[in-house]
C-alpha cells in the first residue's frame, strides 16, 4: 500500500463553550491581560529607537512583566508568546504593504480573545454524542458543543491533527476555534458549467443562469421604522429598537469621563446578543449557499469589488458637505449586512476544494451595460432592481442584478477584451492623435 497522495489543508472549526461563571471570569482576565500586553508592546515599540528594536528584547520584556505584574501573570506563557509573535507579524505585514500599521487596542472596540498555540495542551476528549471536553491552560476542563468529528485520540496522526485553538468571545458567550490540519486527496477537476455572480442588496446573489439565491428577509419593519438588521424577525427588530432607545436614555445621564453604569452595560450586552444572533444566521446562510454553488458550478466569476471604498460615508466636510447623506448611510448599512467580502472568501476556498476555480473580473459598467446588445445607453438602469435597455434596436428588460451577472460571465468568456483601458493595459497612441482617431 502506497502513501496517500494529497495536499495539506488547514481550516478552523468553531464550537460553543459551556463555561461556569468562575471559568468565564478566569478567561475574561486572560483576555484583558492579552489586550493589555499588546498595548504595552506597542508603547515599548514606539518609545524604542529603531536601531534597538528586536524580538529578543521584546521577549525579555514580556517574561519580566509576567513575573512582576500579577494581573499579567494570569495569562499563560504560551499565550503571551503568541501575543508577541502576532504583534511582530503585524509590523511585517505593514512593511510588506499587506495591512495597516498595528495600533492601540481599546477596551470597548476590541474582540476579547486568547490564543492557545500548542495543540497538545488542549487534551480534547469526546464524552457524549453532543459534548466534548477540552483543557484550557490555567482554567481547567471545559465542555464544548461537539458538532463535527475532530482528529483526536486514535484518529489523530502527523497529517491529521489539531495544531492549536483560539478562545473568542461575542455577544452569546465564549467560543473556541480549533485550528485543524488534514491531508486530503486532490480533487478531480470540476466539469460543471460556468456561472457569473453579481452581489446586490435587494437580490443577495444574482446568477447568470437565473438560479438566484435569496435569503427571503425583508430590509425593514412593516411600518418602515427601523432598518437595523434584516436577519432579525419583526419581534426581534422591535426589541432591538427598544434596547437602543433605552441605552440612549440611560447614556444621557452619564457625565463626561464617567464610567458606564451597570444597567447601561447590561443594556449593551442585550444589544450585542441580538446582533450576534443575526450574524450567526447570516453566516449560516452564506455557508449553505456557497457550498451549493461550489458543488454545482466548475468556474465561478465575480466582480473585483473594493467594499471598503463602497461603504465610505458621504457626509463630506464643513466647507463641502455631502448630498443624500441619509440615503447613502442606509445603503452602506445594507452592503455591510450582506458581507460580500465574506461570501467571496467562502466561494474561493470551497470552489478549490471541489476542484473548481473562482475568477475576478473588473467591475466598471457591468450594471450599466445591456447584456443582450452590449451597448451602454444612458438611462437604461431605471432603478435599483430594474434594467430596461434604451437602445431602439434592443429594448431588453429584466432584473438589474441578473443583467450584471450575465455581463460578468460574458467578460470572462471573451477574455476581458471589452474592458476599457482603465481596467487593463493602456492603449498607446501617436503623440498629437485624437482618441477617436486612434481607436
Amino acid at each position: 500500500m502506497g502513501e496517500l497522495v494529497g495536499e495539506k489543508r488547514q481550516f478552523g472549526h468553531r464550537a460553543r463553550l459551556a463555561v461556569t461563571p468562575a471559568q468565564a471570569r478566569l478567561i475574561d482576565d486572560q483576555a484583558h491581560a492579552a489586550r493589555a500586553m499588546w498595548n504595552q508592546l506597542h508603547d515599548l515599540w514606539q518609545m524604542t529607537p529603531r536601531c534597538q528594536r528586536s524580538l529578543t528584547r521584546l521577549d525579555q520584556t514580556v517574561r519580566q512583566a509576567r513575573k512582576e505584574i500579577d494581573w499579567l501573570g494570569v495569562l499563560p506563557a504560551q499565550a503571551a508568546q503568541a501575543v508577541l509573535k502576532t504583534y511582530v507579524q503585524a509590523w511585517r505585514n505593514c512593511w510588506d504593504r499587506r495591512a495597516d500599521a498595528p495600533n492601540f487596542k481599546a477596551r470597548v472596540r476590541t474582540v476579547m480573545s486568547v490564543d492557545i498555540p500548542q495543540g497538545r495542551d488542549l487534551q480534547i476528549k469526546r464524552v457524549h454524542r453532543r459534548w466534548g471536553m477540552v483543557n484550557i491552560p490555567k482554567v481547567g476542563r471545559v465542555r464544548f458543543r461537539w458538532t463535527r468529528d475532530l482528529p483526536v485520540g486514535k484518529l489523530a496522526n502527523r497529517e491529521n491533527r489539531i495544531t492549536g485553538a483560539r478562545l473568542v468571545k461575542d455577544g452569546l458567550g465564549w467560543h473556541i476555534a480549533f485550528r485543524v490540519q488534514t491531508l486530503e486527496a486532490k480533487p478531480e477537476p470540476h466539469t460543471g458549467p460556468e456561472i457569473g455572480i453579481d452581489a446586490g442588496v435587494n437580490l443577495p446573489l444574482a446568477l447568470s443562469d437565473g438560479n438566484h439565491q435569496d435569503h427571503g428577509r425583508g430590509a425593514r419593519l412593516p411600518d418602515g421604522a427601523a432598518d437595523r438588521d434584516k436577519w432579525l424577525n419583526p419581534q426581534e427588530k422591535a426589541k432591538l429598537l427598544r434596547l437602543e432607545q433605552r441605552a440612549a436614555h440611560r447614556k444621557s445621564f452619564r457625565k463626561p469621563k464617567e464610567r458606564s453604569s451597570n444597567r447601561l452595560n447590561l443594556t449593551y450586552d442585550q444589544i450585542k446578543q441580538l446582533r450576534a444572533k443575526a450574524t450567526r444566521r447570516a453566516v449560516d446562510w452564506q455557508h449553505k449557499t456557497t457550498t451549493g454553488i461550489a458543488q454545482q458550478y466548475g468556474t465561478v466569476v465575480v466582480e473585483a469589488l473594493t467594499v471598503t471604498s463602497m461603504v465610505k460615508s458621504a457626509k463630506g466636510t464643513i466647507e463641502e458637505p455631502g448630498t443624500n447623506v441619509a440615503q447613502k448611510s442606509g445603503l452602506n448599512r445594507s452592503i455591510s449586512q450582506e458581507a460580500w467580502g465574506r461570501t467571496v472568501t467562502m466561494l474561493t476556498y470551497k470552489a478549490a476544494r471541489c476542484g473548481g476555480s473562482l475568477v475576478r473580473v473588473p467591475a466598471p459598467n457591468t450594471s450599466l451595460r445591456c447584456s443582450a446588445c452590449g451597448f451602454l445607453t444612458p438611462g437604461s438602469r431605471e432603478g435599483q432592481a430594474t434594467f430596461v435597455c434604451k437602445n431602439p434596436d434592443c429594448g431588453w428588460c429584466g432584473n438589474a442584478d441578473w443583467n450584471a451577472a450575465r455581463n460578468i460571465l460574458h467578460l470572462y468568456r471573451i477574455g476581458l477584451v471589452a474592458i476599457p483601458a482603465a481596467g487593463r493595459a493602456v492603449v498607446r497612441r501617436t503623440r498629437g492623435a485624437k482618441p477617436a482617431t486612434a481607436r
Side-chain angles (χ1 to χ4, degrees), residues 407-426:
N407 285 327
I408 292 170
L409 179 60
H410 183 64
L411 287 175
Y412 167 73
R413 287 177 174 175
I414 65 178
L416 310 180
V417 297
I419 297 297
R424 53 188 173 91
V426 177

Side-chain angles (χ1 to χ4, degrees), residues 197-273:
I197 299 180
D198 177 72
V201 176
N202 293 330
L203 187 60
L205 294 179
L207 277 62
S208 57
D209 61 353
N211 185 23
H212 307 314
Q213 303 296 323
D214 188 6
H215 44 62
R217 298 184 181 274
R220 297 180 180 273
L221 286 171
D223 57 355
D227 184 17
R228 291 302 179 188
D229 209 312
K230 62 182 65 177
W231 291 97
L232 300 177
N233 57 40
Q235 293 78 15
E236 292 169 338
K237 286 185 179 181
K239 181 180 179 180
L240 178 61
L241 180 61
R242 292 196 304 269
L243 290 173
E244 290 179 340
Q245 293 174 346
R246 184 184 304 169
H249 176 70
R250 290 176 175 174
K251 186 178 179 180
S252 63
F253 295 97
R254 189 180 64 182
K255 298 179 181 179
K257 298 183 180 181
E258 184 181 4
R259 295 186 61 180
S260 301
S261 64
N262 293 333
R263 290 186 176 182
L264 181 58
N265 290 331
L266 178 61
T267 306
Y268 285 153
D269 292 339
Q270 292 175 335
I271 294 175
K272 290 180 181 178
Q273 292 176 3

Side-chain angles (χ1 to χ4, degrees), residues 106-126:
R107 184 186 183 97
V108 296
R109 293 189 300 271
T110 304
V111 178
M112 297 181 64
S113 61
V114 182
D115 200 8
I116 307 177
Q118 299 292 343
R120 63 173 180 264
D121 296 337
L122 298 174
Q123 303 176 12
I124 302 172
K125 183 179 180 181
R126 188 172 186 177

Side-chain angles (χ1 to χ4, degrees), residues 59-264:
D59 181 43
Q60 294 175 353
T61 303
V62 168
R63 295 175 183 270
Q64 190 68 20
R66 292 187 64 255
K67 292 180 180 179
E68 297 179 356
I69 304 176
D70 295 338
W71 53 270
L72 280 181
V74 301
L75 186 66
Q78 296 293 339
Q81 293 296 321
V83 174
L84 173 60
K85 292 180 180 179
T86 304
Y87 182 78
V88 175
Q89 184 62 39
W91 275 112
R92 291 173 181 171
N93 295 337
C94 175
W95 296 333
D96 295 339
R97 297 185 178 181
R98 295 195 301 265
D100 295 333
N103 205 342
F104 180 84
K105 287 190 175 183
R107 184 186 183 97
V108 296
R109 293 189 300 271
T110 304
V111 178
M112 297 181 64
S113 61
V114 182
D115 200 8
I116 307 177
Q118 299 292 343
R120 63 173 180 264
D121 296 337
L122 298 174
Q123 303 176 12
I124 302 172
K125 183 179 180 181
R126 188 172 186 177
V127 297
H128 187 264
R129 185 172 64 92
R130 295 286 187 181
W131 293 96
M133 296 290 291
V134 61
N135 180 69
I136 299 178
K138 293 196 173 184
V139 175
R141 304 289 289 176
V142 181
R143 291 195 308 161
F144 70 92
R145 193 70 170 173
W146 191 284
T147 57
R148 177 174 183 164
D149 291 335
L150 299 172
V152 297
K154 297 182 179 180
L155 301 178
N157 50 48
R158 187 172 183 179
E159 288 78 18
N160 301 278
R161 58 194 176 94
I162 294 179
T163 60
R166 189 176 185 86
L167 306 177
V168 184
K169 186 178 184 180
D170 62 4
L172 299 177
W174 279 102
H175 301 77
I176 184 168
F178 298 104
R179 291 189 288 269
V180 186
Q181 175 184 303
T182 60
L183 182 65
E184 295 184 351
K186 293 184 178 181
E188 296 294 333
H190 202 300
T191 58
E194 302 167 345
I195 192 67
I197 299 180
D198 177 72
V201 176
N202 293 330
L203 187 60
L205 294 179
L207 277 62
S208 57
D209 61 353
N211 185 23
H212 307 314
Q213 303 296 323
D214 188 6
H215 44 62
R217 298 184 181 274
R220 297 180 180 273
L221 286 171
D223 57 355
D227 184 17
R228 291 302 179 188
D229 209 312
K230 62 182 65 177
W231 291 97
L232 300 177
N233 57 40
Q235 293 78 15
E236 292 169 338
K237 286 185 179 181
K239 181 180 179 180
L240 178 61
L241 180 61
R242 292 196 304 269
L243 290 173
E244 290 179 340
Q245 293 174 346
R246 184 184 304 169
H249 176 70
R250 290 176 175 174
K251 186 178 179 180
S252 63
F253 295 97
R254 189 180 64 182
K255 298 179 181 179
K257 298 183 180 181
E258 184 181 4
R259 295 186 61 180
S260 301
S261 64
N262 293 333
R263 290 186 176 182
L264 181 58

Side-chain angles (χ1 to χ4, degrees), residues 259-295:
R259 295 186 61 180
S260 301
S261 64
N262 293 333
R263 290 186 176 182
L264 181 58
N265 290 331
L266 178 61
T267 306
Y268 285 153
D269 292 339
Q270 292 175 335
I271 294 175
K272 290 180 181 178
Q273 292 176 3
L274 284 176
R275 295 209 177 278
K277 183 182 296 185
T279 302
R280 281 192 173 188
R281 292 173 182 173
V283 173
D284 179 71
W285 179 85
Q286 286 178 315
H287 272 296
K288 294 178 179 177
T289 304
T290 53
T291 300
I293 293 174
Q295 293 175 350

